[in-house]
Amino acid sequence: MNKASGAIRYINKTYQDLPNRDFGKYRYLQIEGFPETIELFIGKESGDFKPDLEKIDELKVGEEVTVYYSDGINSENDGIQRLVQYIDRGREPVFKKGSWDKTLGFIVAASGGLILVGLFVLRKFGKI
């Protein structure tokens, strides 16, 4: 995991033409010395993969924060960092990404296991 620290120079619900969906569920930050604009999903409605902790709207321009993010391939190469895991203001956490990726991983693994069991049973009884 990588980290970057600096003062907030931009914070808003929009950035250029973003978001293009789910208006109000995103926040955009720019940190001094960090080359990408940070996009955070903060949806709070039922069914949203909301963050475990979210106090982004308490942040102000000029405040010092530390952003912890993962490396990843940005398929759009649009200068937007979408893999932020945590944001701290001093020693106070203000954002912690939700565990939707763990939930999705569990669903995929369980589905794959059920398919394998089903194929084994069908093969055992000569159906395939």
Side-chain angles (χ1 to χ4, degrees), residues 2-33:
N2 299 312
K3 75 176 188 174
S5 297
I8 297 172
R9 58 185 173 110
Y10 178 85
I11 183 167
N12 207 330
K13 293 180 181 182
T14 60
Y15 174 72
Q16 295 176 356
D17 61 345
L18 295 173
N20 51 18
R21 67 197 185 300
D22 296 327
F23 299 101
K25 294 184 179 185
Y26 289 89
R27 297 298 181 269
Y28 297 89
L29 291 118
Q30 291 177 339
I31 309 298
E32 287 180 10

Side-chain angles (χ1 to χ4, degrees), residues 50-53 83-86 95-101:
K50 58 188 170 190
D52 289 342
L53 172 68
L83 300 175
V84 171
Q85 304 297 314
Y86 308 97
F95 179 83
K96 180 181 179 195
K97 182 180 177 184
S99 58
W100 69 270
D101 48 351

Side-chain angles (χ1 to χ4, degrees), residues 46-113:
S46 176
D48 285 343
F49 293 114
K50 58 188 170 190
D52 289 342
L53 172 68
E54 187 279 306
K55 297 192 260 179
I56 295 300
D57 291 336
E58 295 177 9
L59 296 175
K60 295 179 179 28
V61 171
E63 287 188 299
E64 292 283 329
V65 294
T66 301
V67 177
Y68 300 87
Y69 61 98
S70 299
D71 284 331
I73 298 171
N74 188 348
S75 59
E76 298 173 28
N77 199 14
D78 57 3
I80 304 294
Q81 173 56 256
R82 294 180 172 94
L83 300 175
V84 171
Q85 304 297 314
Y86 308 97
I87 298 178
D88 293 337
R89 172 179 48 194
R91 293 181 177 226
E92 175 195 2
V94 292
F95 179 83
K96 180 181 179 195
K97 182 180 177 184
S99 58
W100 69 270
D101 48 351
K102 291 178 186 174
T103 303
L104 181 61
F106 176 77
I107 291 169
V108 169
S111 298

